[in-house]
Amino acid sequence: MSDSTGLFEHAQGAVPRRNHGYCVDDVARGLVVLAREPRLSTELHRLAERYLAFVSHAQVHTGAVHNRLGFDRRWSDSAGSGDWWGRALWGLGTLAARGGDGWIRDEALSRFEISAVHRSPSRRAMAFAALGAAEVFSQYPGHRPAQALLTLTARAIGRPAGDPRWPWPEKRLYYANAVLPEVLLAVGQALGDTALIDDGLALLSWLRKVETRDGHLSVTPVGGWSRVDGRPGFDQQPIEAASLADAFARAFAVTGDPVWTDGIRMCAAWFMGDNDIGKPVMNADTGGGCDGLGRSAVSLNQGAESTLALISTLQHEKSLTLQHEKSLERKQP
């Protein structure tokens, strides 16, 4: 799905649709996935450099970010502060904290700081940006732009609502829902705020409960969900399972409670077919993630968002396996 410029957004089957071009949303997701890898091959290292160059090219001096680049290498939109801005900061912040080489970490941090002064009216965009800020703050304690993003985002998300049947801070579940409790956990951990951690765990526990059906994940469909809607809902998107896996991994890192590792395995199982229609949301031959789970079938298309959602989720599952193996090695006489 990648070429010398970036990461193609859409695919027909497993074949990239070049006429749809590229978007920062997906390239930034790619940066997060690459930065999380403990070791990169030479090929993947060059891919990280390419993605960093793409996101950097999308920035303007105000901190706003373009999103859509055509195959003709021309931006088709105005720079703004939507989700792509937040994801750009998430990718840059993760690379600044975890990049393998000093120069790439320094460049990513410099680029993070350009856009970290910007703000978005979107709660989701701010949440994505705050995930990048949490990565930066973990490596550069006291980093003021990162700290400001963390504080403002926690304030924008707010406290759980008073109704225990619907504590969610929105009237409906929308998309990438688990990013909201994950950010509360990240901010609480970064700033030492136990109340925020408690709020994040409470919201994530509730979300896991309402998105579990008959022992498997039944995630929020396109169009959202509220208590007046029936279940299950379709079409279900891989981003929902991936955002849950991210949040469960964060909760496990914060608490050490194995209940969250069980959640990660549920997310991976959703891709393998433990879902509402019992069909894999991936293509075993290509390694691509399918674009959606319908009422009776799975989309055959394997776009960037879905494929990266699959890879990200499997990264978390693999990390659990490695941790378990190391634990067994330590116990051996």
Side-chain angles (χ1 to χ4, degrees), residues 51-102:
Y51 289 176
L52 173 59
F54 187 99
V55 174
S56 300
H57 179 52
Q59 293 176 295
V60 300
H61 71 279
T62 63
V65 177
H66 289 285
N67 187 32
R68 299 193 175 280
L69 185 74
F71 190 59
D72 61 0
R73 311 309 194 259
R74 295 181 181 180
W75 295 110
S76 61
D77 62 355
S78 299
S81 58
D83 285 357
W84 59 93
W85 164 83
R87 287 198 176 97
L89 283 169
W90 184 10
L92 293 170
T94 307
L95 193 63
R98 308 193 196 191
D101 292 340

Side-chain angles (χ1 to χ4, degrees), residues 82-258:
D83 285 357
W84 59 93
W85 164 83
R87 287 198 176 97
L89 283 169
W90 184 10
L92 293 170
T94 307
L95 193 63
R98 308 193 196 191
D101 292 340
W103 78 264
I104 205 170
R105 292 195 301 272
D106 291 344
E107 184 62 27
L109 181 62
S110 175
R111 289 293 173 172
F112 172 89
E113 290 170 347
I114 290 172
S115 289
V117 299
H118 205 62
R119 297 290 179 263
S120 174
S122 163
R123 180 185 275 127
R124 288 294 189 288
M126 289 292 287
F128 296 135
L131 290 178
E135 293 281 354
V136 170
F137 201 80
S138 69
Q139 294 299 314
Y140 305 94
H143 190 279
R144 291 187 178 182
Q147 185 172 3
L149 267 177
L150 293 171
T151 302
L152 287 172
T153 303
R155 191 179 304 157
I157 294 173
R159 300 294 308 278
D163 184 353
R165 296 172 300 172
W166 192 269
W168 199 250
E170 300 169 321
K171 293 181 179 180
R172 292 177 65 83
L173 294 173
Y174 291 106
Y175 67 97
N177 293 293
V179 70
L180 300 186
E182 183 187 359
V183 164
L184 294 180
L185 292 172
V187 178
Q189 186 178 36
L191 304 184
D193 189 328
T194 56
L196 284 178
I197 291 175
D198 290 342
D199 287 348
L201 292 173
L203 284 178
L204 186 57
S205 296
W206 177 85
L207 182 63
R208 177 179 178 173
K209 180 179 179 180
V210 300
E211 294 201 313
T212 298
R213 181 173 176 265
D214 298 332
H216 63 255
L217 285 186
S218 179
V219 297
T220 299
V222 170
W225 181 81
S226 71
R227 284 181 295 175
V228 300
D229 300 317
R231 299 295 294 271
F234 301 98
D235 289 319
Q236 297 177 19
Q237 301 291 294
I239 188 177
E240 300 305 324
S243 64
L244 278 168
D246 283 346
F248 292 154
R250 177 87 59 178
F252 178 62
V254 171
T255 67
D257 190 337

Side-chain angles (χ1 to χ4, degrees), residues 306-322:
S306 303
T307 296
L308 287 167
L310 169 65
I311 293 171
S312 174
T313 302
L314 295 183
Q315 276 184 319
H316 289 307
E317 185 185 44
K318 181 180 179 180
S319 177
L320 290 180
T321 300
L322 292 174

